[in-house]
Amino acid sequence: MTIQEQYENLEKTVRGYNPAADFQHIRAAFEFAAEAHKDQKRKSGEPYIIHPLAVAQIVAEELRLDSESIEAALLHDVGKPDCCTRDGQGISHFYGHNRRSAELARQALLRLKCDRNTRERVELLVSLHDRSLPEDLPQTRRFLAKTGLDGARELLVLRRADVMAQSEYQRKYKLGQLDAFARLLDEAEAPNGHEAEQMDLFTDYAVREQQEQGGEAAHVRERKLQEAMLGIKKRYGKNAILKGMNLEDGATAKERNQTIGGHQA
């Protein structure tokens, strides 16, 4: 299938579920991307433009997203040619390409006279498509302050499509990262992670909070202690750490640790 045929297949897919899509802008985004990637090849030797086309096809065929999402998929890597460097081993790197891609996408959409909301939405998706994702709830909440929940979920969809359109190298790992981010979004969406509590006049909530924090700190200390003990035993043997009572007359812990299945090791 030629590149033009791939694009026509994309347009046909979008028409099948969204006849009112802005096909003028979608085609313009494709042509802009094709021009940006014209001298770029994938490791396989194929024209690079087949990757953003494949991402857009997944976004359309499997997820049935709107025109702006299709445009973001087509434009998400247009900055790569400007950011390409090679290390001493001849390996290509594209540091900062997400920011450059967002700048170029904004320029393209300005020329198309897209409305401000469309420009900002596409630019945000492109700029974040290759950035590090939050790894805990506080980071996720700060991230959402920038993107909003809908924007974050749309970004998640775009990044899944991007990973699926790449080679299988590290695909499982990358999808695992996205699954973890999806769980954080679900947790952030829930009100404080649990149902609202009915408060009363007779509970000292400040004291209770301190107690809960103290219990959580104790749990963390206990977990770290257990991890340290396991590490010592793994490195130096099961008898490296023994309770005092296991050294008393008649204690059998050391003897048991030297047996396998009830027999001497």
Side-chain angles (χ1 to χ4, degrees), residues 17-181:
Y17 70 87
N18 185 14
D22 194 332
F23 293 101
Q24 179 183 357
H25 286 177
I26 292 174
R27 175 174 285 278
F30 161 67
E31 291 174 349
F32 186 90
E35 177 64 23
H37 295 299
K38 66 180 180 181
D39 297 322
Q40 191 178 4
K41 302 288 185 181
R42 305 191 77 192
K43 289 182 180 179
S44 63
E46 299 171 298
Y48 190 87
I49 187 61
I50 69 171
H51 169 67
L53 270 171
V55 176
Q57 187 66 37
I58 293 171
V59 167
E61 189 171 299
E62 299 184 14
L63 306 167
R64 298 195 167 195
L65 297 188
D66 57 18
S67 303
E68 289 82 0
S69 299
I70 304 295
E71 293 161 30
L74 290 168
L75 296 169
H76 77 277
D77 275 345
V78 290
K80 274 192 168 183
D82 291 349
C83 300
C84 182
T85 59
R86 295 184 185 277
D87 60 24
Q89 297 178 326
I91 299 174
S92 298
H93 300 279
F94 304 95
Y95 300 118
H97 85 272
N98 54 313
R99 291 189 297 273
R100 180 57 178 159
S101 295
E103 293 171 3
L104 292 174
R106 181 174 179 273
Q107 293 173 18
L109 297 175
L110 277 170
R111 286 202 293 270
L112 290 171
K113 298 182 179 179
C114 294
D115 62 84
R116 180 178 176 180
N117 287 339
T118 296
R119 293 199 308 270
E120 291 181 350
R121 182 178 164 199
V122 172
E123 186 176 356
L124 181 66
L125 289 171
V126 173
S127 68
L128 295 175
H129 86 274
D130 198 44
R131 294 283 297 276
S132 297
L133 291 171
E135 296 180 351
D136 58 35
L137 196 54
Q139 290 179 12
T140 300
R141 290 193 172 118
R142 290 193 293 272
F143 187 84
L144 290 176
K146 181 177 182 179
T147 66
L149 185 61
D150 289 343
R153 292 200 182 281
E154 189 173 7
L155 175 66
L156 182 63
V157 166
L158 177 62
R159 291 186 69 146
R160 283 190 190 281
D162 190 18
V163 171
M164 294 306 297
Q166 297 173 13
S167 67
E168 293 186 5
Y169 175 68
Q170 289 194 329
R171 179 182 293 174
K172 185 176 180 179
Y173 168 73
K174 292 176 181 178
L175 291 176
Q177 286 185 312
L178 296 178
D179 289 340
F181 180 49

Side-chain angles (χ1 to χ4, degrees), residues 4-24:
Q4 185 59 36
E5 287 172 338
Q6 288 181 57
Y7 172 74
E8 291 172 358
N9 185 55
L10 169 65
E11 194 170 293
K12 179 180 178 181
T13 301
V14 177
R15 288 187 187 279
Y17 70 87
N18 185 14
D22 194 332
F23 293 101
Q24 179 183 357

